[in-house]
């Protein structure tokens, strides 16, 4: 009940945590996160759901890479309540 999908980045202005799950392309992810930094507060944690890309490389484009992490949800998520937390 506390998770909400967003259709526009501006809807995330009050978010405390944003998890993306876009195409596995570092440039696409970096573009999304650099745009997100314009909307979310400084305390908002940013996370990628990648399981194959370098978390450090994706975070490298950010003004504040220290608030970035990888959260890899195992499939099927409803049956495997396990999340891998990846630091850069």
């Amino acid at each position: 009940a506390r998770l909400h999908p967003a259709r526009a980045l501006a809807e995330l202005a009050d978010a405390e945590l944003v998890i993306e799950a876009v195409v596995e392309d570092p440039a696409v992810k970096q573009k999304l996160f650099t745009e997100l930094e314009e909307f979310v507060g400084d305390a908002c944690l940013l996370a990628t759901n990648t399981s194959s890309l370098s978390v450090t490389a994706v975070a490298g484009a950010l003004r504040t890479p220290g608030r970035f992490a990888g959260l890899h949800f195992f499939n099927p998520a409803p049956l495997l309540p396990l999340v891998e937390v990846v630091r850069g």
Side-chain angles (χ1 to χ4, degrees):
R2 293 174 48 195
L3 299 177
H4 305 281
R7 294 178 191 255
L9 296 182
E11 294 176 40
L12 301 169
D14 294 330
E16 295 177 15
L17 169 65
V18 176
I19 305 168
E20 67 73 25
V22 299
V23 65
E24 290 289 284
D25 180 330
V28 172
K29 289 179 184 291
Q30 286 177 332
K31 182 178 185 299
L32 173 64
F33 284 115
T34 56
E35 290 175 4
L36 267 171
E37 280 190 308
E38 300 299 320
F39 292 96
V40 299
D42 291 340
C44 179
L45 300 175
L46 302 176
T48 181
N49 189 40
T50 188
S51 62
S52 61
L53 300 175
S54 165
V55 170
T56 301
V58 175
L62 299 179
R63 286 191 319 258
T64 313
R67 67 169 166 178
F68 191 79
L71 295 180
H72 179 228
F73 296 84
F74 289 84
N75 288 316
L79 298 178
L80 294 170
L82 177 65
V83 176
E84 175 185 28
V85 179
V86 183
R87 66 182 175 100

